[in-house]
């Protein structure tokens, strides 16, 4: 195949002495044996998405390697030195269980230190939420996590946090990227100043666990804690470093860890995908739960910021909850605890995202708190905390299995969320109920909301073009009717417009731009389309709802909603 000139230009730069011999040899090998792979590796620069920068590891501008991450870090160093003139700068760095994460973390530490910036580097893998906590605890100006979350084993990534503990957001992210893009690779300072690199571990661990227990414990009796039978799996990830100890110190003595998945391993040998959103990932945990007659199953992704939960239904069978269900359960529980403590006075808020369940708005109204809705990604919820200091953040989440309890950690946090779910389960069991029955009661109180996600994978250059064209088609030719229901509103977050399709009236939305389209139908259904910011996927989110008069009618109403979701997807030709 013929290699395009812009790719050849990038390749030739990487064949100069700025790059080590091994890198040059790998590129030369690709030029002869795999020009298609060469094109994929160099056709663009890796970009920051909703969860930082993620990509396949390897050589090239579109890959995760010491040079692309070194350039990021040099650019961030330059930005920080200019943004904080005359200040003694500090950064914290953590990494997950992935292949090369520890090596790449040291490269990042070397570059910061070479620029005169003090580095606190975890001596071993740690959960991503612990980095957010450590950054604030140590008074750092920035932080980095080397992780690709739940992506396949060949991926790694680079997430940037700022001094508030949240990930970088506009306009700062664009300003930092501009500095990075202005750099040449030969400007990267790789020679470490080891005197500026300090390794951190147990002291931060203990402070993090102590803070988690303080924030996510709610007067559960010791008997209730000891009586809860828990199965936990870390899916070969970093949560094994924090969650078992946190649960133990919080008083949960009956925690059964899935032994085959307890050892950290970036190859994730026992699962197809280390993603608790995927039912297959929890197969081993569910089998152990049935063997031990456990009450609850909890599994976390490799960097421990998402959790999947399974509980027993009214027939005693283990069922997986989706991210929207765990989010409303945790939010409702927090709101009720704050209400009992007399801490709600109208100056509090919960947070969610535009593709998550509208049920969060119902909860907020019932408890007289605000519900702030942001774009996809927890950096937007962290930004809410910073932007509204007059309001106290109670908790919040998004449909992709993430939740944040309070503001001690400014990112989704599976450590605190795991403890919180156990508190909910323990109290429910002690009261003769269950997590599942608690969820059904919420549906009676606030309406039965049912959500479904379809993810279509489209890899490589062609896949990206196909995803972009799908969004163009939906934007330029919006559907007028879905499943026999008129579309009443179309929100276009790329153009910042909300159009009433019945009246033709168009309003400007005061939100950051994002490539998201949301359709609302006259019966209250909501359908969103969004290219993933971290994976080669386009995602479709469907939310439907109906009135539930009593718990006993739940199976009938759920069947009706499932059929409705199926018909919507068929009508839109998504399935």
């Amino acid at each position: 195949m013929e290699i395009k000139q812009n790719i050849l230009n990038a390749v030739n730069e990487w064949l100069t002495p700025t790059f080590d011999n091994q890198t040059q040899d790998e590129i030369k090998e690709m030029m002869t044996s795999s020009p298609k792979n060469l094109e994929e590796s160099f056709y663009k620069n890796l970009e920051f998405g909703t969860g930082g920068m993620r990509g396949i590891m390897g050589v090239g501008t579109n890959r995760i390697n010491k040079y692309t991450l070194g350039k990021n870090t040099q650019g961030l160093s330059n930005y920080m030195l200019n943004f904080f003139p005359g200040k003694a700068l500090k950064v914290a760095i953590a990494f997950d269980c992935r292949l090369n994460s520890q090596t790449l973390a040291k490269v990042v530490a070397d570059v910061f230190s070479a620029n005169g910036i003090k580095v606190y580097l975890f001596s071993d893998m740690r959960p991503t939420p612990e980095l957010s906590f450590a950054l604030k605890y140590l008074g750092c100006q920035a932080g980095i996590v080397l992780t690709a979350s739940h992506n396949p084993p060949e991926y790694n990534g680079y997430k940037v946090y700022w001094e508030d503990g949240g990930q970088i957001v506009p306009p700062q992210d664009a300003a930092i990227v501009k500095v990075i893009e202005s750099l040449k690779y030969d400007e990267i300072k790789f020679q470490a100043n080891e005197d500026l690199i300090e390794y951190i571990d147990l002291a931060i661990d203990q402070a993090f666990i102590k803070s988690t227990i303080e924030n996510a414990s709610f007067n559960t009796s010791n008997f209730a804690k000891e009586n809860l039978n828990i199965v936990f799996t870390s899916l070969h990830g970093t949560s094994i470093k924090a969650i078992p100890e946190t649960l133990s110190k919080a008083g949960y003595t009956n925690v059964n860890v899935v032994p085959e998945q307890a050892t950290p391993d970036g190859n994730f040998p026992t699962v197809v995908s280390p993603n608790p959103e995927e039912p297959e990932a929890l197969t081993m945990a569910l089998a152990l739960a049935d063997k031990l007659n456990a009450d609850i199953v909890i599994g976390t992704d490799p960097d421990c910021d998402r959790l999947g939960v399974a509980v027993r239904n009214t027939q005693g069978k283990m069922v997986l909850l989706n991210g929207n269900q765990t989010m409303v359960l945790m939010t409702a529980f927090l709101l009720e605890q704050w209400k009992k403590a007399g801490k709600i006075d109208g100056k509090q808020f919960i947070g969610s995202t535009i593709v998550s369940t509208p049920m969060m708005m119902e909860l907020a109204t019932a408890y007289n708190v605000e519900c702030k809705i942001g774009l996809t990604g927890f950096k937007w919820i962290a930004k809410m905390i910073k932007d509204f200091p007059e309001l106290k953040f109670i908790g919040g989440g998004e449909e992709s299995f993430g939740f944040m309890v309070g503001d001690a950690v400014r990112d989704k946090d599976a450590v605190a969320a795991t403890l919180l779910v156990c508190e909910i389960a323990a109290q429910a069991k002690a009261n003769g109920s269950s997590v599942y029955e608690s969820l059904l009661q919420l549906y009676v109180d606030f309406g039965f909301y049912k959500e479904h996600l379809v993810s279509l994978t489209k890899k490589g250059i062609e896949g990206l073009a196909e995803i972009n064209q799908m969004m163009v088609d939906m934007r330029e030719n919006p559907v007028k009717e879905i499943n026999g229901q008129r579309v009443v509103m179309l929100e276009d977050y790329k153009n910042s417009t909300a159009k009433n399709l019945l009246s033709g009236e168009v309003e400007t939305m005061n939100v950051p731009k994002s490539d998201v389209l949301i359709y609302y139908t006259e019966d209250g259904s909501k359908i969103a389309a969004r290219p993933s910011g971290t994976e080669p996927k386009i995602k479709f989110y469907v939310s439907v709802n109906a009135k539930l008069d009593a718990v006993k009618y739940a199976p009938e109403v759920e069947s009706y909603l499932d059929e409705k979701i199926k018909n919507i997807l068929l009508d839109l030709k998504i399935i």
Side-chain angles (χ1 to χ4, degrees):
M1 62 176 285
E2 183 180 348
I3 300 173
K4 296 174 183 175
Q5 189 59 48
N6 66 313
I7 293 173
L8 281 175
N9 292 341
V11 168
N12 287 332
E13 181 184 3
W14 281 58
L15 292 174
T16 63
T18 296
F19 299 84
D20 60 47
N21 291 334
Q22 182 180 344
T23 296
Q24 294 185 52
D25 289 344
E26 287 184 42
I27 293 170
K28 290 172 185 174
E29 172 66 22
M30 274 198 292
M31 292 178 76
T32 55
S33 66
S34 183
K36 176 66 175 173
N37 191 18
L38 184 79
E39 183 181 41
E40 293 280 357
S41 299
F42 282 94
Y43 83 95
K44 66 172 184 173
N45 293 333
L46 271 182
E47 299 170 349
F48 282 89
T50 51
M53 177 182 281
R54 285 185 215 168
I56 295 170
M57 290 177 280
V59 300
T61 59
N62 189 37
R63 295 289 184 257
I64 294 287
N65 52 65
K66 67 176 285 188
Y67 297 103
T68 52
L69 297 193
K71 190 176 179 183
N72 283 355
T73 308
Q74 184 62 54
L76 182 57
S77 298
N78 291 355
Y79 179 86
M80 290 174 66
L81 289 165
N82 182 62
F83 192 86
F84 301 104
K87 193 165 188 174
L89 299 180
K90 299 183 287 185
V91 298
I93 301 174
F95 56 93
D96 70 2
C97 61
R98 287 182 172 271
L99 306 175
N100 301 316
S101 277
Q102 186 163 13
T103 301
L104 291 170
K106 182 59 167 67
V107 169
V108 171
D110 290 349
V111 175
F112 277 127
S113 70
N115 284 276
I117 297 172
K118 168 77 175 180
V119 177
Y120 294 102
L121 174 62
F122 276 100
S123 59
D124 197 1
M125 65 187 72
R126 289 296 189 278
T128 287
E130 187 169 348
L131 182 279
S132 174
F133 173 84
L135 187 163
K136 292 169 64 184
Y137 186 80
L138 296 168
C140 297
Q141 283 72 47
I144 303 291
V145 179
L146 280 297
T147 178
S149 188
H150 58 278
N151 282 51
E154 63 270 23
Y155 280 76
N156 215 316
Y158 181 94
K159 293 172 76 170
V160 182
Y161 293 77
W162 208 238
E163 57 184 340
D164 67 320
Q167 292 183 58
I168 54 171
V169 292
Q172 196 165 41
D173 55 356
I176 292 171
V177 168
K178 188 175 180 180
V179 175
I180 292 169
E181 290 178 344
S182 71
L183 288 172
K184 294 188 171 76
Y185 284 100
D186 61 8
E187 296 178 70
I188 304 169
K189 299 176 183 177
F190 283 115
Q191 297 303 313
N193 179 349
E194 297 290 350
D195 292 339
L196 289 177
I197 301 176
E198 179 179 338
Y199 289 90
I200 55 175
D201 39 48
L202 296 180
I204 302 298
D205 294 343
Q206 296 309 310
F208 173 61
I209 290 171
K210 180 175 182 286
S211 171
T212 300
I213 293 172
E214 288 172 353
N215 285 315
S217 295
F218 293 92
N219 302 313
T220 305
S221 70
N222 289 332
F223 170 79
K225 292 176 182 179
E226 293 163 5
N227 195 40
L228 186 69
N229 189 352
I230 304 163
V231 165
F232 168 72
T233 177
S234 58
L235 297 179
H236 303 290
T238 61
S239 63
I240 201 70
K241 298 284 186 180
I243 286 180
E245 185 177 353
T246 299
L247 290 177
S248 175
K249 288 190 172 180
Y252 289 90
T253 56
N254 195 359
V255 179
N256 305 280
V257 177
V258 177
E260 299 92 337
Q261 298 175 327
T263 301
D265 187 338
N267 289 304
F268 312 114
T270 66
V271 292
V272 175
S273 169
N275 184 358
E277 291 180 80
E278 303 290 342
E280 180 275 333
L282 297 181
T283 301
M284 283 187 169
L286 290 169
L288 183 59
D290 283 338
K291 180 180 177 182
L292 301 176
N293 194 30
D295 301 302
I296 188 167
V297 166
I298 299 170
T300 55
D301 67 345
D303 68 327
C304 188
D305 59 3
R306 302 171 190 236
L307 78 164
V309 178
V311 294
R312 296 204 179 277
N313 66 12
T314 51
Q315 284 77 48
K317 181 185 177 184
M318 273 287 172
V319 292
L320 296 168
L321 302 179
N322 64 40
N324 286 298
Q325 291 172 320
T326 54
M327 173 171 57
V328 296
L329 275 163
M330 288 189 277
T331 302
F333 182 82
L334 287 175
L335 288 166
E336 187 62 24
Q337 298 303 314
W338 279 58
K339 180 182 176 181
K340 285 180 181 175
K343 291 163 58 179
I344 293 181
D345 60 5
K347 296 180 180 178
Q348 292 75 34
F349 79 98
I350 57 175
S352 187
T353 70
I354 57 175
V355 297
S356 299
T357 178
M359 190 171 171
M360 290 289 279
M361 298 294 290
E362 302 294 333
L363 291 173
T365 300
Y367 282 90
N368 189 34
V369 301
E370 286 191 46
C371 181
K372 295 190 177 296
I373 307 293
L375 297 177
T376 304
F378 265 73
K379 61 187 180 184
W380 301 108
I381 297 179
K383 186 176 186 295
M384 295 169 191
I385 298 171
K386 186 168 61 174
D387 289 348
F388 300 95
E390 72 280 7
L391 299 178
K392 185 68 176 173
F393 177 70
I394 294 174
E398 62 181 2
E399 56 75 38
S400 60
F401 289 62
F403 198 81
M404 187 158 64
V405 184
D407 63 0
V409 168
R410 301 289 178 91
D411 202 355
K412 52 186 178 287
D413 178 3
V415 184
T418 293
L419 177 54
L420 179 61
V421 165
C422 289
E423 292 281 289
I424 296 169
Q427 291 189 22
K429 186 178 181 181
N431 292 327
S433 182
S434 69
V435 173
Y436 193 79
E437 289 171 305
S438 299
L439 179 63
L440 294 182
Q441 188 57 51
L442 288 175
Y443 289 153
V444 172
D445 295 341
F446 302 103
F448 197 147
Y449 284 79
K450 186 93 190 257
E451 280 77 29
H452 185 74
L453 168 66
V454 175
S455 293
L456 304 180
T457 300
K458 308 283 184 180
K459 293 184 177 180
I461 300 172
E462 293 84 0
L464 179 62
E466 189 177 348
I467 288 171
N468 289 338
Q469 189 58 50
M470 289 172 76
M471 293 301 294
V472 168
D473 292 343
M474 285 185 287
R475 187 167 274 114
E476 293 182 351
N477 303 291
V479 293
K480 303 289 194 302
E481 187 177 286
I482 300 174
N483 190 31
Q485 296 290 322
R486 290 184 300 174
V487 176
V488 295
M489 182 70 71
L490 172 61
E491 292 178 344
D492 185 343
Y493 286 81
K494 188 172 185 179
N495 296 324
S496 302
T497 58
K499 183 176 182 179
N500 185 316
L501 297 188
L502 302 183
S503 68
E505 184 180 351
V506 178
E507 293 184 10
T508 299
M509 297 190 296
N510 186 26
V511 291
K513 292 184 183 299
S514 182
D515 193 8
V516 182
L517 287 170
I518 302 180
Y519 294 93
Y520 296 89
T521 65
E522 57 189 338
D523 67 346
S525 298
K526 172 184 171 185
I527 302 95
R530 167 186 164 265
S532 171
T534 53
E535 301 172 274
K537 294 179 178 180
I538 182 168
K539 297 185 175 185
F540 297 91
Y541 308 79
V542 180
S543 176
V544 296
N545 64 87
K547 185 174 170 49
L548 179 62
D549 291 323
V551 166
K552 66 180 179 179
Y553 300 124
E556 178 184 334
V557 173
E558 185 164 23
S559 294
Y560 163 75
L561 294 175
D562 285 339
E563 186 68 18
K564 194 171 191 176
I565 289 170
K566 178 184 172 184
N567 290 335
I568 288 172
L569 295 174
L570 286 170
D571 197 21
L572 292 174
K573 298 180 173 58
I574 296 171
I575 58 172

